[in-house]
Amino acid sequence: MSENIIEIKNINVSYGSNHVLKDVNINIKNKDFYTFLGPSGCGKTTLLRLIAGFEKSQSGELYIDGKEVSNSSPWERDVGMVFQNYALWPHMTVFKNISFGLEEKRLSSTEIKKKVEEVLELVDLKDLSKRYPFQLSGGQQQRVALARTLVVRPKVLLLDEPLSNLDAKLRVQMRKELLDLHQKLDITTIFVTHDQEEANGMSTNLAIFNEGIVQQIGRPIDVYNQPKNLFVANFMGTINVIEGQVQNGKFKSKQGMIINNVTTTEGNHSILLRPQNLYLQKNNNSLQEFDAKVVSVEFLGNLIRYFIKILEHELIIEDLHEINKKIYAKGESIKVYLDSEKIKIL
């Protein structure tokens, strides 16, 4: 087996005049947990369905484990897909839902029973095998959908926004369970989501899509810290953007905000600054100080999010919340500190 189990080369997909995927090139390594991330309608689910065999491309090549499969049927590709709505048979028990694919393969009843019991143990559903989908919680239904896919032992597991129907607490729990399963089975997994937190927390690598174009590929931490463009910077989390000009190592915004020790070429630039890289305390002498005013405050539990103004710039600061730590009020004048080494320049 080659290092790349999935190779997507120059893929284009159009529906009439709607160009959904535009010259997409992605390599996915064996045993990767790879995420397609982007807003609704960006093409990520279309690409997942193309890998599964439910969509066709107008041009390009798709390889699975070294074999070109663009014209192969879904059942010839050795991939398994978990749909967003789980797509369980409502009239079948958990056991029958999971065993359906094995029955289609004409396995013996003894072998089917053994394989289903193994996967029920794997997803912690062994005591619910006789229940019907309507008797299960959302998390349990998702486990059944996973088990039904995993029982046939595909080379690649495809997950189409599988957590979107769950509440916030269950989503966090299921993220951990999906990662645990991935590590236990050593199965290449491709995960589609529009949720940056899910993508950052789960992926070994990811591809960010916008309007059918792959904007950036890499490890989540690298994409977050070194975005290639403003779309990626914004989509990977909250960002402050300040436009201006660099001369003699100093950045001066259109509103007159000056940032010293900026290392880049002279001329017009955008400075990107994450909210956690603006500070309310001067923790070292290299930080630059600014006068600011608090416009509004959001309490987020572990964080306090401040919306502030420096000159005419509206910026966001996220400060770690601790018991008895001072929380500044709307309208209060404050000092804000910036480390020029923490900025990203586009």
Side-chain angles (χ1 to χ4, degrees), residues 144-308:
V144 176
L146 267 171
R148 183 181 59 186
T149 303
L150 292 172
V151 76
V152 296
R153 291 288 188 247
K155 286 180 181 173
V156 181
L157 176 63
L158 308 177
L159 303 174
D160 185 13
E161 302 216 37
L163 309 180
S164 61
N165 296 325
L166 307 178
D167 63 53
K169 188 173 182 180
L170 191 53
R171 284 172 79 122
V172 174
Q173 178 188 332
M174 291 307 299
R175 272 162 44 185
K176 183 180 183 304
E177 291 187 15
L178 281 173
L179 282 176
D180 287 346
L181 270 175
H182 172 71
Q183 288 162 6
K184 282 179 186 175
L185 298 174
D186 265 348
I187 185 172
T188 306
T189 303
I190 305 176
F191 181 79
V192 162
T193 185
H194 61 268
D195 187 296
Q196 300 93 327
E197 186 175 312
E198 285 177 4
N200 286 336
M202 300 176 73
S203 314
T204 47
N205 286 285
L206 54 78
I208 298 185
F209 289 75
N210 187 38
E211 297 181 346
I213 298 170
V214 176
Q215 302 290 317
Q216 190 166 348
I217 288 172
R219 297 187 308 158
I221 192 169
D222 296 331
V223 176
Y224 183 87
N225 288 335
Q226 299 294 330
K228 287 187 175 179
N229 57 45
L230 196 53
F231 174 83
V232 172
N234 272 304
F235 203 81
M236 287 299 283
T238 307
I239 195 82
N240 295 301
V241 182
I242 308 171
E243 294 182 351
Q245 193 171 63
V246 174
Q247 285 186 333
N248 300 320
K250 290 187 177 184
F251 174 88
K252 184 175 182 180
S253 76
K254 296 173 182 177
Q255 288 77 20
M257 183 178 175
I258 295 174
I259 300 174
N260 298 319
N261 303 319
V262 175
T263 307
T264 189
T265 56
E266 297 203 345
N268 295 324
H269 292 279
S270 292
I271 277 186
L272 309 182
L273 189 62
R274 297 288 181 191
Q276 67 271 25
N277 295 137
L278 284 166
Y279 309 102
L280 298 174
Q281 298 82 31
K282 190 169 187 178
N283 47 35
N284 72 65
N285 291 327
S286 67
L287 299 185
Q288 191 173 344
E289 181 181 294
F290 298 90
D291 293 317
K293 182 162 283 191
V294 177
V295 176
S296 63
V297 183
E298 289 181 355
F299 174 68
L300 302 178
N302 61 325
L303 295 173
I304 307 294
R305 180 176 290 159
Y306 293 99
F307 297 83
I308 65 163

Side-chain angles (χ1 to χ4, degrees), residues 78-133:
D78 205 5
V79 302
M81 185 161 176
V82 177
F83 298 92
Q84 187 175 353
N85 63 358
Y86 311 142
L88 301 177
W89 298 104
H91 62 288
M92 291 184 182
T93 63
V94 167
F95 187 97
K96 291 294 286 182
N97 262 284
I98 295 170
S99 67
F100 182 79
L102 300 176
E103 290 169 1
E104 291 294 302
K105 290 188 171 187
R106 302 288 191 269
L107 270 63
S108 70
S109 58
T110 304
E111 196 170 356
I112 288 172
K113 185 174 184 293
K114 180 176 180 289
K115 287 180 179 292
V116 172
E117 286 177 350
E118 284 175 355
V119 80
L120 281 169
E121 180 82 29
L122 187 67
V123 298
D124 196 23
L125 287 175
K126 60 182 178 180
D127 296 328
L128 304 179
S129 64
K130 294 180 180 178
R131 291 193 184 180
Y132 289 87

